[in-house]
């Protein structure tokens, strides 16, 4: 029984890591490493606080609250706030931005370089149709998400990343360079702000529900059992994220001597992969990015379809999963820049509210649940 429980906790921890770990999580640390240079360890520490610590607290807040969904948790502020905040959060990290981005980033980083950087829109259309068809298939098998993501996709993702990281550590590309302007004096706080870009604190409200449900399905009954199992799974995910962020920051910092300063993290990763593995590097990077994006898109479609089917019970979970997958395939092809421009102000507005909600959840007993 103990071994089985340990295996379940490990699988749930792997699942949570994979849900959090999207393409942005690959790109931001490696770019930060390039820019922070000799101050990269301080910058990385700041990044880990906001990119790992806050999302972990968000997941734990759900287990601590005893609530089954974000709306009921946010309704402690006011019922109207509960609905508005929850809908805004789900739309922002779901169909309006995050889900379509998983498909477009997968193509831009993983497929387009292999096609010689073609500007034709046909390969993108074909790829996104396939990508979101796979997402839809796994989302319709939501009850198996722990087995699908935690036991299959995550180990593959870790193997791909592990090969690249081990090679980079055993054969460094070069020495760390002097930090750029933003990282000269306040590298910790600059890294701290960079951690916000992962948007994982917002996602923790969504993925926390999946984790709590998975824990309960595997036998946790009391609030204490749910909290302990959630904490263990959360620590597994947080540890993996922290290790990989640190390794990616190191890779970025050691790449400047060989590659120079590049315009974005995707270009840095491509340069590192090509340096170590030549043409095979592009294939390896493509597999890493697509696996990372696929796990995130499955988690987001599953969570968003679950919420909206509860909000609008006349439309089933299955129909919402199909609608979200199909609309994401469309949005991934047209007007993504406009969607990003629209979404970023919304996300920036929601983020402080999300952090306050996490803190208030843990302090709930101190003010006797008053609004």
């Amino acid at each position: 029984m103990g071994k089985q429980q340990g295996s379940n906790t490990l699988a749930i921890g792997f699942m949570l890591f994979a849900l959090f770990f999207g393409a942005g999580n690959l790109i931001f640390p490696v770019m930060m490493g390039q820019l922070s240079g000799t101050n990269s360890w301080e910058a990385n520490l700041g990044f880990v606080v906001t990119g790992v610590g806050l999302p972990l607290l968000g997941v734990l807040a759900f287990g601590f609250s005893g609530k089954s969904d974000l709306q009921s948790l946010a309704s402690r502020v006011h019922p109207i706030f509960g609905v508005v905040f929850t809908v805004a959060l789900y739309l922002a990290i779901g169909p309006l931005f995050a889900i379509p981005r998983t498909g477009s980033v997968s193509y831009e980083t993983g497929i387009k370089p292999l096609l010689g950087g073609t500007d034709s829109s046909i390969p993108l259309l074909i790829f996104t149709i396939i990508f979101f068809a796979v997402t839809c298939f796994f989302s319709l098998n939501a009850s198996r998400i722990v087995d699908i993501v935690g036991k299959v996709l995550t180990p593959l993702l870790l193997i791909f990343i592990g090969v690249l990281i081990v090679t980079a550590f055993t054969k460094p590309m070069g020495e760390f360079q002097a930090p750029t302007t933003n990282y000269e004096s306040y590298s910790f706080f600059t890294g701290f702000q960079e951690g916000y870009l992962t948007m994982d604190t917002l996602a923790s409200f969504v993925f926390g529900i999946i984790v709590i449900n998975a824990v309960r399905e595997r036998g946790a009954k009391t609030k204490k059992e749910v909290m302990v199992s959630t904490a263990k799974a959360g620590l597994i995910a947080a540890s993996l994220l922290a290790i990989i962020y640190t390794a990616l920051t190191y890779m970025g910092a050691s790449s400047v001597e060989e590659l120079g300063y590049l315009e974005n993290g995707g270009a840095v990763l491509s340069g590192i992969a090509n340096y170590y593995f030549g043409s095979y590097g592009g294939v390896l990077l493509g597999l890493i990015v697509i696996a990372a994006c696929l796990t995130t898109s499955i988690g987001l479609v599953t969570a968003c379809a679950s919420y909206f089917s509860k909000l609008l019970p006349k439309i089933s979970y299955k129909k919402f999963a199909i609608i979200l997958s199909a609309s994401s395939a469309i949005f991934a092809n047209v007007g993504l820049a406009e969607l990003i421009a629209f979404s970023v102000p919304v996300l920036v507005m929601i983020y402080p509210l999300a952090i306050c909600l996490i803190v208030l959840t843990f302090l709930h007993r101190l003010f006797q649940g008053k609004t």
Side-chain angles (χ1 to χ4, degrees), residues 93-94 98-99 102 203 206-207 295-305 324:
I93 68 166
I99 300 175
T102 59
V206 176
F207 297 149
T295 52
T296 301
S297 68
I298 292 167
L300 287 173
V301 168
T302 301
C304 290
L324 289 168

Side-chain angles (χ1 to χ4, degrees), residues 282-298:
V283 176
L284 180 66
L285 181 64
L287 290 171
I288 291 171
V289 171
I290 292 169
C293 286
L294 190 60
T295 52
T296 301
S297 68
I298 292 167

Side-chain angles (χ1 to χ4, degrees), residues 210-228:
I210 297 174
V211 171
I212 300 298
N213 290 340
V215 165
R216 285 175 177 154
E217 283 172 11
R218 279 154 175 75
K221 293 179 175 63
T222 66
K223 183 177 176 179
K224 183 180 179 182
E225 287 175 343
V226 170
M227 193 66 187
V228 169

Side-chain angles (χ1 to χ4, degrees), residues 250-333:
Y250 169 83
M251 287 163 61
S254 61
S255 70
V256 176
E257 190 176 320
E258 180 69 29
L259 302 177
Y261 292 102
L262 301 180
E263 59 183 352
N264 59 61
V268 178
L269 275 175
S270 295
I272 292 170
N274 286 326
Y275 174 82
Y276 286 117
F277 303 110
S279 58
Y280 293 107
V283 176
L284 180 66
L285 181 64
L287 290 171
I288 291 171
V289 171
I290 292 169
C293 286
L294 190 60
T295 52
T296 301
S297 68
I298 292 167
L300 287 173
V301 168
T302 301
C304 290
S306 296
Y307 173 68
F308 288 123
S309 63
K310 287 180 182 176
L311 191 67
L312 303 169
K314 290 184 178 179
I315 305 176
S316 67
Y317 168 87
K318 183 177 179 180
K319 286 180 181 176
F320 266 119
I322 294 169
I323 290 168
L324 289 168
S325 299
S327 63
S328 296
I330 294 167
F331 287 138
N333 281 272

